[in-house]
Amino acid sequence: MLESLKLFNLLLVAAGGALGGMARLAVTDLCSHWLGSRFPWGTLMVNLSGALLAGWLAARLGIPSSLDLSSAWLALVVGLLGGYTTVSSFSLQTLTLWQSGQRFRAAAYTLATCLIGFLLVVLGWWLAGGGA
């Protein structure tokens, strides 16, 4: 019974991650098409929208202990948002901007991702009725 539950949880994360990765590619491609590729708009939009959704889901599903992860949390937060958002692309793009002499853009990208991302998590939490 425990082994089948572990396999089911693994499949939830895998399915969510696959959908999240496809969504990230779609959003990134749309942003590059609409806004150009001189700045990593796609990754910024993905990470900011992911932050908003993370806050909303945390308020709706509750924040579980690390040992008590629900199926919904595993599929949506660990899987979907884990596949959708990307700290590795953000870090690499920041380094690339910095090394190419675009230090202001690198700093603005970092500040926007971190500060606005945090504000959007709070907004998502609030929109879902999580309170203060």
Side-chain angles (χ1 to χ4, degrees), residues 41-84:
W41 292 110
T43 303
L44 181 63
M45 292 302 120
V46 160
N47 286 336
L48 294 180
S49 61
L52 179 68
L53 188 54
W56 191 87
L57 286 169
R60 284 292 183 197
L61 300 175
I63 300 173
S65 72
S66 61
L67 299 176
D68 184 32
L69 299 175
S70 70
S71 295
W73 187 269
L74 287 169
L76 298 173
V77 179
V78 177
L80 185 72
L81 290 181
Y84 180 63

Side-chain angles (χ1 to χ4, degrees), residues 7-22:
L7 179 59
F8 179 70
N9 288 343
L10 182 64
L11 292 173
L12 285 174
V13 172
L19 292 173
M22 290 186 291

Side-chain angles (χ1 to χ4, degrees), residues 87-112:
V87 74
S88 58
S89 291
F90 159 70
S91 301
L92 183 58
Q93 290 163 342
T94 303
L95 177 64
T96 301
L97 287 169
W98 186 269
Q99 288 180 334
S100 68
Q102 299 179 64
R103 288 177 166 73
F104 177 78
R105 283 186 180 186
Y109 184 41
T110 300
L111 185 64

Side-chain angles (χ1 to χ4, degrees), residues 2-50:
L2 184 59
E3 289 303 316
S4 62
L5 181 60
K6 286 182 182 181
L7 179 59
F8 179 70
N9 288 343
L10 182 64
L11 292 173
L12 285 174
V13 172
L19 292 173
M22 290 186 291
R24 176 176 64 197
L25 179 61
V27 170
T28 300
D29 284 351
L30 281 173
C31 286
S32 291
H33 178 72
W34 290 338
L35 302 171
S37 59
R38 292 185 43 90
F39 187 82
W41 292 110
T43 303
L44 181 63
M45 292 302 120
V46 160
N47 286 336
L48 294 180
S49 61

